[in-house]
């Protein structure tokens, strides 16, 4: 095998790209701009344009369903097992749900972008 035959060298896997917000091209932590789940315009290290990838709201529906089911299950379990006062539920589940949604949205969007990058997917294009 000649050296440098693999052009995926140095690129992060989808999982680590999702967890840490890594650029799928160079692996730098540049995927997200200041706000929590907003992509940066492009990678500050290698210049890859993140704007060209359109992950849309794909992860949002999944997240709402999964996190909703998870939190509801946990809340029911806590109520049955411990029967805490109502404010305990508010204090516990509101920040937990918010955190889970924001973190999950970040990870979900990053995973989709990394998957699109690795498979060279994009908007429909006409060749020529
Ligand atoms: Zn990069």
């Amino acid at each position: 095998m000649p050296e440098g035959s693999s052009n995926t060298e140095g690129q992060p896997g989808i999982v680590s790209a999702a967890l840490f917000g890594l650029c799928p091209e160079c692996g730098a932590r540049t995927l997200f701009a200041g706000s929590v789940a907003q992509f940066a315009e492009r990678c500050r290290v290698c210049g890859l344009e993140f704007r060209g990838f359109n992950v849309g709201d794909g992860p949002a529906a999944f997240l709402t369903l999964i996190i909703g089911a998870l939190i509801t299950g946990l809340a029911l379990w806590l109520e049955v097992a411990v029967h805490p006062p109502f404010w305990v539920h508010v204090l516990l589940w509101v920040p937990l749900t918010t955190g889970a949604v924001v973190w999950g949205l970040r990870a979900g969007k990053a995973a989709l972008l990394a998957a699109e990058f690795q498979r060279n997917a994009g908007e429909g294009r006409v060749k020529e």
Side-chain angles (χ1 to χ4, degrees), residues 10 17 42 61 79 86 89:
R42 65 173 64 80
E79 178 64 28
F86 183 70
H89 283 297

Side-chain angles (χ1 to χ4, degrees), residues 23-28 30 43-48 50:
C23 165
E25 170 78 44
C26 66
T30 53
C43 177
R44 289 190 303 274
V45 177
C46 69
L48 177 72
F50 298 141

Side-chain angles (χ1 to χ4, degrees), residues 17-113:
L19 287 181
F20 303 112
L22 304 180
C23 165
E25 170 78 44
C26 66
R29 277 181 118 139
T30 53
L31 187 53
F32 288 100
S35 60
V36 273
Q38 180 76 46
F39 288 139
E41 296 245 309
R42 65 173 64 80
C43 177
R44 289 190 303 274
V45 177
C46 69
L48 177 72
E49 297 259 356
F50 298 141
R51 275 180 311 181
F53 297 95
N54 180 15
V55 300
D57 293 327
F62 279 111
L63 280 168
T64 310
L65 291 173
I66 294 169
I67 293 171
L70 214 69
I71 300 281
T72 309
L74 283 171
L76 282 175
W77 170 82
L78 188 76
E79 178 64 28
V80 169
V82 189
H83 200 73
F86 183 70
W87 60 264
V88 171
H89 283 297
V90 175
L91 227 63
L92 208 59
W93 306 123
V94 171
L96 202 69
T97 308
T98 313
V101 166
V102 168
W103 184 86
L105 202 58
R106 267 183 83 110
K109 284 176 73 172
L112 281 183
L113 190 141

